[in-house]
Amino acid sequence: MGRVSKTYTEGKARIVGGEGVFLNPAMKGLRDVSVAFLKCSAPSKFSILDSTAATGIRGIRYAQEAGAGTVVALDVNPKASRNARRNFTANKIEGMVMNKDLQLFSIEAPEKFDVVDLDPFGSPAPYINDVLKVSKDGSLLMVTATDTAVLCGAHASACVKQYGAVPIHNHLCKEAGLRILIGHVIKKAAEFNMGVEPMVSLADMHYMRVFVKLRKGASEAYGSMKSLGFGKYCNSCSWAGVSVGITPKAVYRCSECGNETQQFGHIFTGKLNNRRITGDMLKSGIEDGHSERTISCLNLEPEVPFFISMPVITRKLGISSVPYGAVIERLKGRGYAAGRTIFNEDGIKTDAPVSDVVSIVKELKGV
Ligand SMILES: C[S@@+](CC[C@H](N)C(=O)[O-])C[C@H]1O[C@@H](n2cnc3c(N)ncnc32)[C@H](O)[C@@H]1O
């Protein structure tokens, strides 16, 4: 548990931590990304619920750096709320700090918010209904998950229980977990007659974070449900892809080698990022260098679900590694989209068949 007891400055916020109040300086980069996202996508003077506020650092930064007009900071821990109240006063934020359980707050809340931030310990799954209750048509929802071992398939039964989805535990696990998380938000939002448009989707270090826009309406909700489907992985030729549709197939054969694939999901099968928003975020400036590089990479990566793991290919061929840049250039030369991915440093995202990647690798090695 990250704790800061002295004064800590981040962005324009000056925070004094407190005993038993969570504050992790290592999450600065992700808070920088959240500020940049709001600067580029939230309406002016927006209202925001920081639903798991701890020291209140997010709400304070959103008011000081992204133009939030009304800030409500909520925490179930009385020590955290006392601390957030002090930090609001010290930073001259005229928001409201409440010591309340999010579940209770969502039942009683007299208003709905333009933006809701959910950043709990571990899984956000138990809180999705609550944040949807305080959202409206056009609301932006920002959700963190740190139960990445669950979403990445180290505890498959926990993923089935929490997210209603079967994970995969191999090199695809981060992208698959992120798509499971978005799929879960889509299924919950549909119960509230809301559709979900993913705008920025990140999986990095020990967290996943999704930024989505909600749209009210039965057709929006059904439209989002139709973007659900299943991931497929071929353990024989290493092809990975998706099939769209709520109903799984008993057997799904690899489109390249005909082998029976391993299926996982439900997952969200559509585009993870809105290029206009990620482009604007880069122009607006993201202070943290690592986060800036991550957003640049996802702004460039081909918009195809999943990727090819180069070590899997070279291991199968019994050869040593090849320069990934050269493989990407040759794929582009053959007319395919190709690029690196934020999900795996050894992965190449491409719309090329695995057989083309294999032939390029052989060409490069002269075998
Ligand atoms: C990971 S910390 C939040 C960190 C903070 N957002 C930041 O960026 O520094 C999670 C916080 O959620 C609070 N929390 C846990 N369950 C809650 C609930 N049911 N309602 C409101 N707050 C809750 C915890 O007390 C804790 O302070």
PDB file of all heavy atoms in Angstrom, residues 87-122:
ATOM      1  N   ASN A  87      -6.984  18.356   2.233  1.00  0.00           N
ATOM      2  CA  ASN A  87      -6.296  18.631   0.970  1.00  0.00           C
ATOM      3  C   ASN A  87      -7.128  19.541   0.062  1.00  0.00           C
ATOM      4  O   ASN A  87      -6.584  20.376  -0.646  1.00  0.00           O
ATOM      5  CB  ASN A  87      -5.946  17.320   0.258  1.00  0.00           C
ATOM      6  CG  ASN A  87      -4.780  16.605   0.931  1.00  0.00           C
ATOM      7  OD1 ASN A  87      -3.830  17.252   1.388  1.00  0.00           O
ATOM      8  ND2 ASN A  87      -4.857  15.287   1.020  1.00  0.00           N
ATOM      9  N   PHE A  88      -8.453  19.374   0.103  1.00  0.00           N
ATOM     10  CA  PHE A  88      -9.320  20.261  -0.694  1.00  0.00           C
ATOM     11  C   PHE A  88      -9.144  21.705  -0.217  1.00  0.00           C
ATOM     12  O   PHE A  88      -8.990  22.621  -1.002  1.00  0.00           O
ATOM     13  CB  PHE A  88     -10.792  19.839  -0.582  1.00  0.00           C
ATOM     14  CG  PHE A  88     -11.241  18.897  -1.678  1.00  0.00           C
ATOM     15  CD1 PHE A  88     -10.463  17.800  -2.020  1.00  0.00           C
ATOM     16  CD2 PHE A  88     -12.426  19.095  -2.373  1.00  0.00           C
ATOM     17  CE1 PHE A  88     -10.848  16.917  -3.021  1.00  0.00           C
ATOM     18  CE2 PHE A  88     -12.821  18.230  -3.379  1.00  0.00           C
ATOM     19  CZ  PHE A  88     -12.036  17.137  -3.701  1.00  0.00           C
ATOM     20  N   THR A  89      -9.156  21.886   1.115  1.00  0.00           N
ATOM     21  CA  THR A  89      -9.018  23.236   1.672  1.00  0.00           C
ATOM     22  C   THR A  89      -7.650  23.821   1.304  1.00  0.00           C
ATOM     23  O   THR A  89      -7.565  24.958   0.825  1.00  0.00           O
ATOM     24  CB  THR A  89      -9.157  23.187   3.217  1.00  0.00           C
ATOM     25  OG1 THR A  89     -10.393  22.537   3.499  1.00  0.00           O
ATOM     26  CG2 THR A  89      -9.165  24.579   3.836  1.00  0.00           C
ATOM     27  N   ALA A  90      -6.598  23.023   1.486  1.00  0.00           N
ATOM     28  CA  ALA A  90      -5.241  23.521   1.217  1.00  0.00           C
ATOM     29  C   ALA A  90      -5.067  23.904  -0.249  1.00  0.00           C
ATOM     30  O   ALA A  90      -4.303  24.808  -0.576  1.00  0.00           O
ATOM     31  CB  ALA A  90      -4.217  22.461   1.618  1.00  0.00           C
ATOM     32  N   ASN A  91      -5.776  23.197  -1.139  1.00  0.00           N
ATOM     33  CA  ASN A  91      -5.645  23.487  -2.576  1.00  0.00           C
ATOM     34  C   ASN A  91      -6.744  24.428  -3.082  1.00  0.00           C
ATOM     35  O   ASN A  91      -6.893  24.622  -4.287  1.00  0.00           O
ATOM     36  CB  ASN A  91      -5.673  22.184  -3.377  1.00  0.00           C
ATOM     37  CG  ASN A  91      -4.369  21.395  -3.258  1.00  0.00           C
ATOM     38  OD1 ASN A  91      -3.433  21.624  -3.989  1.00  0.00           O
ATOM     39  ND2 ASN A  91      -4.321  20.480  -2.285  1.00  0.00           N
ATOM     40  N   LYS A  92      -7.539  24.966  -2.123  1.00  0.00           N
ATOM     41  CA  LYS A  92      -8.617  25.914  -2.453  1.00  0.00           C
ATOM     42  C   LYS A  92      -9.613  25.332  -3.469  1.00  0.00           C
ATOM     43  O   LYS A  92     -10.014  25.979  -4.440  1.00  0.00           O
ATOM     44  CB  LYS A  92      -8.033  27.244  -2.986  1.00  0.00           C
ATOM     45  CG  LYS A  92      -7.112  27.951  -1.993  1.00  0.00           C
ATOM     46  CD  LYS A  92      -6.734  29.323  -2.502  1.00  0.00           C
ATOM     47  CE  LYS A  92      -5.976  30.153  -1.491  1.00  0.00           C
ATOM     48  NZ  LYS A  92      -4.801  29.543  -0.885  1.00  0.00           N
ATOM     49  N   ILE A  93      -9.997  24.082  -3.239  1.00  0.00           N
ATOM     50  CA  ILE A  93     -11.000  23.428  -4.095  1.00  0.00           C
ATOM     51  C   ILE A  93     -12.348  23.523  -3.394  1.00  0.00           C
ATOM     52  O   ILE A  93     -12.484  23.091  -2.246  1.00  0.00           O
ATOM     53  CB  ILE A  93     -10.652  21.928  -4.323  1.00  0.00           C
ATOM     54  CG1 ILE A  93      -9.259  21.781  -4.926  1.00  0.00           C
ATOM     55  CG2 ILE A  93     -11.704  21.241  -5.187  1.00  0.00           C
ATOM     56  CD1 ILE A  93      -9.069  22.340  -6.292  1.00  0.00           C
ATOM     57  N   GLU A  94     -13.318  24.076  -4.092  1.00  0.00           N
ATOM     58  CA  GLU A  94     -14.641  24.218  -3.464  1.00  0.00           C
ATOM     59  C   GLU A  94     -15.514  23.010  -3.774  1.00  0.00           C
ATOM     60  O   GLU A  94     -16.628  23.152  -4.277  1.00  0.00           O
ATOM     61  CB  GLU A  94     -15.303  25.500  -3.971  1.00  0.00           C
ATOM     62  CG  GLU A  94     -14.631  26.744  -3.409  1.00  0.00           C
ATOM     63  CD  GLU A  94     -15.296  27.999  -3.917  1.00  0.00           C
ATOM     64  OE1 GLU A  94     -16.385  27.905  -4.498  1.00  0.00           O
ATOM     65  OE2 GLU A  94     -14.692  29.066  -3.727  1.00  0.00           O
ATOM     66  N   GLY A  95     -14.998  21.845  -3.534  1.00  0.00           N
ATOM     67  CA  GLY A  95     -15.779  20.645  -3.814  1.00  0.00           C
ATOM     68  C   GLY A  95     -16.417  20.120  -2.540  1.00  0.00           C
ATOM     69  O   GLY A  95     -16.329  20.739  -1.479  1.00  0.00           O
ATOM     70  N   MET A  96     -17.055  18.958  -2.687  1.00  0.00           N
ATOM     71  CA  MET A  96     -17.674  18.331  -1.516  1.00  0.00           C
ATOM     72  C   MET A  96     -16.950  17.010  -1.242  1.00  0.00           C
ATOM     73  O   MET A  96     -16.720  16.223  -2.174  1.00  0.00           O
ATOM     74  CB  MET A  96     -19.140  18.058  -1.823  1.00  0.00           C
ATOM     75  CG  MET A  96     -19.928  17.625  -0.595  1.00  0.00           C
ATOM     76  SD  MET A  96     -21.534  17.017  -1.074  1.00  0.00           S
ATOM     77  CE  MET A  96     -22.305  18.521  -1.590  1.00  0.00           C
ATOM     78  N   VAL A  97     -16.569  16.799   0.012  1.00  0.00           N
ATOM     79  CA  VAL A  97     -15.935  15.536   0.385  1.00  0.00           C
ATOM     80  C   VAL A  97     -16.915  14.770   1.259  1.00  0.00           C
ATOM     81  O   VAL A  97     -17.460  15.330   2.225  1.00  0.00           O
ATOM     82  CB  VAL A  97     -14.618  15.780   1.154  1.00  0.00           C
ATOM     83  CG1 VAL A  97     -14.002  14.453   1.610  1.00  0.00           C
ATOM     84  CG2 VAL A  97     -13.616  16.546   0.286  1.00  0.00           C
ATOM     85  N   MET A  98     -17.173  13.525   0.912  1.00  0.00           N
ATOM     86  CA  MET A  98     -18.160  12.750   1.672  1.00  0.00           C
ATOM     87  C   MET A  98     -17.558  11.432   2.150  1.00  0.00           C
ATOM     88  O   MET A  98     -16.861  10.761   1.391  1.00  0.00           O
ATOM     89  CB  MET A  98     -19.384  12.454   0.808  1.00  0.00           C
ATOM     90  CG  MET A  98     -20.145  13.705   0.406  1.00  0.00           C
ATOM     91  SD  MET A  98     -21.509  13.315  -0.666  1.00  0.00           S
ATOM     92  CE  MET A  98     -22.684  12.689   0.520  1.00  0.00           C
ATOM     93  N   ASN A  99     -17.851  11.092   3.387  1.00  0.00           N
ATOM     94  CA  ASN A  99     -17.439   9.802   3.926  1.00  0.00           C
ATOM     95  C   ASN A  99     -18.628   8.851   3.806  1.00  0.00           C
ATOM     96  O   ASN A  99     -19.517   8.844   4.657  1.00  0.00           O
ATOM     97  CB  ASN A  99     -17.013   9.979   5.395  1.00  0.00           C
ATOM     98  CG  ASN A  99     -16.700   8.657   6.066  1.00  0.00           C
ATOM     99  OD1 ASN A  99     -17.056   8.423   7.212  1.00  0.00           O
ATOM    100  ND2 ASN A  99     -16.054   7.771   5.343  1.00  0.00           N
ATOM    101  N   LYS A 100     -18.653   8.128   2.724  1.00  0.00           N
ATOM    102  CA  LYS A 100     -19.811   7.259   2.486  1.00  0.00           C
ATOM    103  C   LYS A 100     -19.400   6.091   1.590  1.00  0.00           C
ATOM    104  O   LYS A 100     -18.461   6.211   0.784  1.00  0.00           O
ATOM    105  CB  LYS A 100     -20.907   8.079   1.792  1.00  0.00           C
ATOM    106  CG  LYS A 100     -22.275   7.478   1.925  1.00  0.00           C
ATOM    107  CD  LYS A 100     -23.370   8.450   1.558  1.00  0.00           C
ATOM    108  CE  LYS A 100     -24.093   8.903   2.786  1.00  0.00           C
ATOM    109  NZ  LYS A 100     -25.314   9.584   2.575  1.00  0.00           N
ATOM    110  N   ASP A 101     -20.104   4.992   1.707  1.00  0.00           N
ATOM    111  CA  ASP A 101     -19.923   3.847   0.822  1.00  0.00           C
ATOM    112  C   ASP A 101     -20.522   4.193  -0.540  1.00  0.00           C
ATOM    113  O   ASP A 101     -21.633   4.717  -0.606  1.00  0.00           O
ATOM    114  CB  ASP A 101     -20.632   2.640   1.439  1.00  0.00           C
ATOM    115  CG  ASP A 101     -20.329   1.358   0.691  1.00  0.00           C
ATOM    116  OD1 ASP A 101     -20.524   1.331  -0.543  1.00  0.00           O
ATOM    117  OD2 ASP A 101     -19.890   0.390   1.330  1.00  0.00           O
ATOM    118  N   LEU A 102     -19.775   3.896  -1.589  1.00  0.00           N
ATOM    119  CA  LEU A 102     -20.238   4.198  -2.954  1.00  0.00           C
ATOM    120  C   LEU A 102     -21.610   3.580  -3.245  1.00  0.00           C
ATOM    121  O   LEU A 102     -22.457   4.191  -3.907  1.00  0.00           O
ATOM    122  CB  LEU A 102     -19.179   3.687  -3.959  1.00  0.00           C
ATOM    123  CG  LEU A 102     -19.521   3.708  -5.432  1.00  0.00           C
ATOM    124  CD1 LEU A 102     -19.910   5.099  -5.911  1.00  0.00           C
ATOM    125  CD2 LEU A 102     -18.343   3.183  -6.252  1.00  0.00           C
ATOM    126  N   GLN A 103     -21.822   2.377  -2.718  1.00  0.00           N
ATOM    127  CA  GLN A 103     -23.101   1.700  -2.985  1.00  0.00           C
ATOM    128  C   GLN A 103     -24.269   2.516  -2.418  1.00  0.00           C
ATOM    129  O   GLN A 103     -25.282   2.733  -3.083  1.00  0.00           O
ATOM    130  CB  GLN A 103     -23.072   0.302  -2.367  1.00  0.00           C
ATOM    131  CG  GLN A 103     -24.237  -0.546  -2.795  1.00  0.00           C
ATOM    132  CD  GLN A 103     -24.138  -1.974  -2.286  1.00  0.00           C
ATOM    133  OE1 GLN A 103     -23.341  -2.263  -1.381  1.00  0.00           O
ATOM    134  NE2 GLN A 103     -24.927  -2.848  -2.834  1.00  0.00           N
ATOM    135  N   LEU A 104     -24.073   2.990  -1.190  1.00  0.00           N
ATOM    136  CA  LEU A 104     -25.116   3.792  -0.540  1.00  0.00           C
ATOM    137  C   LEU A 104     -25.284   5.139  -1.248  1.00  0.00           C
ATOM    138  O   LEU A 104     -26.398   5.592  -1.537  1.00  0.00           O
ATOM    139  CB  LEU A 104     -24.687   4.024   0.921  1.00  0.00           C
ATOM    140  CG  LEU A 104     -25.755   4.413   1.917  1.00  0.00           C
ATOM    141  CD1 LEU A 104     -26.858   3.369   1.941  1.00  0.00           C
ATOM    142  CD2 LEU A 104     -25.131   4.544   3.314  1.00  0.00           C
ATOM    143  N   PHE A 105     -24.158   5.760  -1.565  1.00  0.00           N
ATOM    144  CA  PHE A 105     -24.183   7.067  -2.243  1.00  0.00           C
ATOM    145  C   PHE A 105     -24.966   6.974  -3.551  1.00  0.00           C
ATOM    146  O   PHE A 105     -25.767   7.844  -3.884  1.00  0.00           O
ATOM    147  CB  PHE A 105     -22.746   7.536  -2.513  1.00  0.00           C
ATOM    148  CG  PHE A 105     -22.668   8.816  -3.302  1.00  0.00           C
ATOM    149  CD1 PHE A 105     -22.771  10.049  -2.665  1.00  0.00           C
ATOM    150  CD2 PHE A 105     -22.513   8.799  -4.682  1.00  0.00           C
ATOM    151  CE1 PHE A 105     -22.717  11.243  -3.397  1.00  0.00           C
ATOM    152  CE2 PHE A 105     -22.458   9.980  -5.416  1.00  0.00           C
ATOM    153  CZ  PHE A 105     -22.556  11.202  -4.773  1.00  0.00           C
ATOM    154  N   SER A 106     -24.735   5.882  -4.308  1.00  0.00           N
ATOM    155  CA  SER A 106     -25.356   5.778  -5.641  1.00  0.00           C
ATOM    156  C   SER A 106     -26.866   5.640  -5.544  1.00  0.00           C
ATOM    157  O   SER A 106     -27.589   6.026  -6.458  1.00  0.00           O
ATOM    158  CB  SER A 106     -24.762   4.592  -6.407  1.00  0.00           C
ATOM    159  OG  SER A 106     -25.212   3.385  -5.847  1.00  0.00           O
ATOM    160  N   ILE A 107     -27.358   5.126  -4.419  1.00  0.00           N
ATOM    161  CA  ILE A 107     -28.822   4.997  -4.246  1.00  0.00           C
ATOM    162  C   ILE A 107     -29.414   6.361  -3.891  1.00  0.00           C
ATOM    163  O   ILE A 107     -30.484   6.736  -4.360  1.00  0.00           O
ATOM    164  CB  ILE A 107     -29.147   3.975  -3.127  1.00  0.00           C
ATOM    165  CG1 ILE A 107     -28.664   2.579  -3.538  1.00  0.00           C
ATOM    166  CG2 ILE A 107     -30.636   3.937  -2.812  1.00  0.00           C
ATOM    167  CD1 ILE A 107     -28.647   1.580  -2.399  1.00  0.00           C
ATOM    168  N   GLU A 108     -28.666   7.116  -3.075  1.00  0.00           N
ATOM    169  CA  GLU A 108     -29.223   8.373  -2.541  1.00  0.00           C
ATOM    170  C   GLU A 108     -28.909   9.601  -3.389  1.00  0.00           C
ATOM    171  O   GLU A 108     -29.528  10.643  -3.221  1.00  0.00           O
ATOM    172  CB  GLU A 108     -28.643   8.623  -1.138  1.00  0.00           C
ATOM    173  CG  GLU A 108     -29.024   7.557  -0.129  1.00  0.00           C
ATOM    174  CD  GLU A 108     -28.246   7.738   1.178  1.00  0.00           C
ATOM    175  OE1 GLU A 108     -27.268   8.500   1.208  1.00  0.00           O
ATOM    176  OE2 GLU A 108     -28.643   7.096   2.165  1.00  0.00           O
ATOM    177  N   ALA A 109     -27.909   9.493  -4.301  1.00  0.00           N
ATOM    178  CA  ALA A 109     -27.399  10.696  -4.985  1.00  0.00           C
ATOM    179  C   ALA A 109     -28.516  11.460  -5.698  1.00  0.00           C
ATOM    180  O   ALA A 109     -29.245  10.869  -6.501  1.00  0.00           O
ATOM    181  CB  ALA A 109     -26.316  10.306  -5.978  1.00  0.00           C
ATOM    182  N   PRO A 110     -28.647  12.763  -5.428  1.00  0.00           N
ATOM    183  CA  PRO A 110     -29.706  13.538  -6.065  1.00  0.00           C
ATOM    184  C   PRO A 110     -29.366  13.914  -7.504  1.00  0.00           C
ATOM    185  O   PRO A 110     -30.234  14.323  -8.256  1.00  0.00           O
ATOM    186  CB  PRO A 110     -29.771  14.806  -5.190  1.00  0.00           C
ATOM    187  CG  PRO A 110     -28.405  14.929  -4.598  1.00  0.00           C
ATOM    188  CD  PRO A 110     -27.835  13.551  -4.495  1.00  0.00           C
ATOM    189  N   GLU A 111     -28.099  13.774  -7.887  1.00  0.00           N
ATOM    190  CA  GLU A 111     -27.691  14.219  -9.227  1.00  0.00           C
ATOM    191  C   GLU A 111     -26.868  13.150  -9.913  1.00  0.00           C
ATOM    192  O   GLU A 111     -26.365  12.221  -9.283  1.00  0.00           O
ATOM    193  CB  GLU A 111     -26.851  15.484  -9.093  1.00  0.00           C
ATOM    194  CG  GLU A 111     -25.655  15.230  -8.210  1.00  0.00           C
ATOM    195  CD  GLU A 111     -24.786  16.448  -7.940  1.00  0.00           C
ATOM    196  OE1 GLU A 111     -24.630  17.270  -8.839  1.00  0.00           O
ATOM    197  OE2 GLU A 111     -24.254  16.527  -6.820  1.00  0.00           O
ATOM    198  N   LYS A 112     -26.758  13.316 -11.220  1.00  0.00           N
ATOM    199  CA  LYS A 112     -25.878  12.440 -11.999  1.00  0.00           C
ATOM    200  C   LYS A 112     -24.709  13.287 -12.491  1.00  0.00           C
ATOM    201  O   LYS A 112     -24.822  14.507 -12.568  1.00  0.00           O
ATOM    202  CB  LYS A 112     -26.660  11.818 -13.146  1.00  0.00           C
ATOM    203  CG  LYS A 112     -27.791  10.921 -12.627  1.00  0.00           C
ATOM    204  CD  LYS A 112     -28.435  10.124 -13.690  1.00  0.00           C
ATOM    205  CE  LYS A 112     -29.675   9.398 -13.203  1.00  0.00           C
ATOM    206  NZ  LYS A 112     -29.386   8.300 -12.273  1.00  0.00           N
ATOM    207  N   PHE A 113     -23.589  12.628 -12.799  1.00  0.00           N
ATOM    208  CA  PHE A 113     -22.341  13.359 -13.058  1.00  0.00           C
ATOM    209  C   PHE A 113     -21.940  13.276 -14.536  1.00  0.00           C
ATOM    210  O   PHE A 113     -22.252  12.297 -15.216  1.00  0.00           O
ATOM    211  CB  PHE A 113     -21.221  12.782 -12.182  1.00  0.00           C
ATOM    212  CG  PHE A 113     -21.456  13.013 -10.708  1.00  0.00           C
ATOM    213  CD1 PHE A 113     -22.258  12.148  -9.968  1.00  0.00           C
ATOM    214  CD2 PHE A 113     -20.898  14.110 -10.074  1.00  0.00           C
ATOM    215  CE1 PHE A 113     -22.491  12.368  -8.620  1.00  0.00           C
ATOM    216  CE2 PHE A 113     -21.121  14.338  -8.716  1.00  0.00           C
ATOM    217  CZ  PHE A 113     -21.928  13.472  -7.990  1.00  0.00           C
ATOM    218  N   ASP A 114     -21.215  14.312 -14.991  1.00  0.00           N
ATOM    219  CA  ASP A 114     -20.664  14.280 -16.353  1.00  0.00           C
ATOM    220  C   ASP A 114     -19.533  13.262 -16.444  1.00  0.00           C
ATOM    221  O   ASP A 114     -19.329  12.649 -17.494  1.00  0.00           O
ATOM    222  CB  ASP A 114     -20.085  15.661 -16.737  1.00  0.00           C
ATOM    223  CG  ASP A 114     -21.156  16.733 -16.782  1.00  0.00           C
ATOM    224  OD1 ASP A 114     -22.250  16.452 -17.322  1.00  0.00           O
ATOM    225  OD2 ASP A 114     -20.908  17.852 -16.268  1.00  0.00           O
ATOM    226  N   VAL A 115     -18.791  13.113 -15.346  1.00  0.00           N
ATOM    227  CA  VAL A 115     -17.632  12.205 -15.330  1.00  0.00           C
ATOM    228  C   VAL A 115     -17.628  11.437 -14.008  1.00  0.00           C
ATOM    229  O   VAL A 115     -17.888  12.031 -12.954  1.00  0.00           O
ATOM    230  CB  VAL A 115     -16.293  12.981 -15.447  1.00  0.00           C
ATOM    231  CG1 VAL A 115     -15.107  12.020 -15.499  1.00  0.00           C
ATOM    232  CG2 VAL A 115     -16.272  13.900 -16.674  1.00  0.00           C
ATOM    233  N   VAL A 116     -17.326  10.145 -14.073  1.00  0.00           N
ATOM    234  CA  VAL A 116     -17.178   9.351 -12.848  1.00  0.00           C
ATOM    235  C   VAL A 116     -15.845   8.604 -12.922  1.00  0.00           C
ATOM    236  O   VAL A 116     -15.549   7.960 -13.939  1.00  0.00           O
ATOM    237  CB  VAL A 116     -18.335   8.346 -12.674  1.00  0.00           C
ATOM    238  CG1 VAL A 116     -18.168   7.586 -11.349  1.00  0.00           C
ATOM    239  CG2 VAL A 116     -19.687   9.048 -12.702  1.00  0.00           C
ATOM    240  N   ASP A 117     -15.051   8.733 -11.849  1.00  0.00           N
ATOM    241  CA  ASP A 117     -13.774   8.031 -11.755  1.00  0.00           C
ATOM    242  C   ASP A 117     -13.910   6.917 -10.725  1.00  0.00           C
ATOM    243  O   ASP A 117     -14.338   7.167  -9.588  1.00  0.00           O
ATOM    244  CB  ASP A 117     -12.666   9.018 -11.319  1.00  0.00           C
ATOM    245  CG  ASP A 117     -11.263   8.434 -11.526  1.00  0.00           C
ATOM    246  OD1 ASP A 117     -11.072   7.222 -11.293  1.00  0.00           O
ATOM    247  OD2 ASP A 117     -10.366   9.203 -11.908  1.00  0.00           O
ATOM    248  N   LEU A 118     -13.591   5.696 -11.139  1.00  0.00           N
ATOM    249  CA  LEU A 118     -13.633   4.542 -10.228  1.00  0.00           C
ATOM    250  C   LEU A 118     -12.236   3.928 -10.177  1.00  0.00           C
ATOM    251  O   LEU A 118     -11.732   3.436 -11.187  1.00  0.00           O
ATOM    252  CB  LEU A 118     -14.656   3.517 -10.741  1.00  0.00           C
ATOM    253  CG  LEU A 118     -14.746   2.202  -9.958  1.00  0.00           C
ATOM    254  CD1 LEU A 118     -15.191   2.429  -8.520  1.00  0.00           C
ATOM    255  CD2 LEU A 118     -15.702   1.228 -10.652  1.00  0.00           C
ATOM    256  N   ASP A 119     -11.625   3.968  -8.999  1.00  0.00           N
ATOM    257  CA  ASP A 119     -10.219   3.540  -8.845  1.00  0.00           C
ATOM    258  C   ASP A 119     -10.094   2.766  -7.526  1.00  0.00           C
ATOM    259  O   ASP A 119      -9.450   3.214  -6.589  1.00  0.00           O
ATOM    260  CB  ASP A 119      -9.336   4.808  -8.834  1.00  0.00           C
ATOM    261  CG  ASP A 119      -7.854   4.504  -8.679  1.00  0.00           C
ATOM    262  OD1 ASP A 119      -7.377   3.544  -9.299  1.00  0.00           O
ATOM    263  OD2 ASP A 119      -7.172   5.252  -7.942  1.00  0.00           O
ATOM    264  N   PRO A 120     -10.738   1.595  -7.462  1.00  0.00           N
ATOM    265  CA  PRO A 120     -10.783   0.870  -6.174  1.00  0.00           C
ATOM    266  C   PRO A 120      -9.531   0.022  -5.955  1.00  0.00           C
ATOM    267  O   PRO A 120      -8.661  -0.045  -6.818  1.00  0.00           O
ATOM    268  CB  PRO A 120     -11.996  -0.038  -6.366  1.00  0.00           C
ATOM    269  CG  PRO A 120     -11.985  -0.362  -7.828  1.00  0.00           C
ATOM    270  CD  PRO A 120     -11.404   0.837  -8.541  1.00  0.00           C
ATOM    271  N   PHE A 121      -9.447  -0.619  -4.811  1.00  0.00           N
ATOM    272  CA  PHE A 121      -8.432  -1.652  -4.610  1.00  0.00           C
ATOM    273  C   PHE A 121      -8.916  -2.871  -5.390  1.00  0.00           C
ATOM    274  O   PHE A 121     -10.067  -3.273  -5.240  1.00  0.00           O
ATOM    275  CB  PHE A 121      -8.327  -2.042  -3.137  1.00  0.00           C
ATOM    276  CG  PHE A 121      -7.816  -0.927  -2.234  1.00  0.00           C
ATOM    277  CD1 PHE A 121      -8.491  -0.603  -1.072  1.00  0.00           C
ATOM    278  CD2 PHE A 121      -6.651  -0.239  -2.550  1.00  0.00           C
ATOM    279  CE1 PHE A 121      -8.011   0.398  -0.230  1.00  0.00           C
ATOM    280  CE2 PHE A 121      -6.164   0.762  -1.720  1.00  0.00           C
ATOM    281  CZ  PHE A 121      -6.849   1.089  -0.563  1.00  0.00           C
ATOM    282  N   GLY A 122      -8.073  -3.472  -6.211  1.00  0.00           N
ATOM    283  CA  GLY A 122      -8.425  -4.732  -6.876  1.00  0.00           C
ATOM    284  C   GLY A 122      -9.450  -4.568  -7.976  1.00  0.00           C
ATOM    285  O   GLY A 122      -9.323  -3.710  -8.847  1.00  0.00           O
TER     286      GLY A 122
END
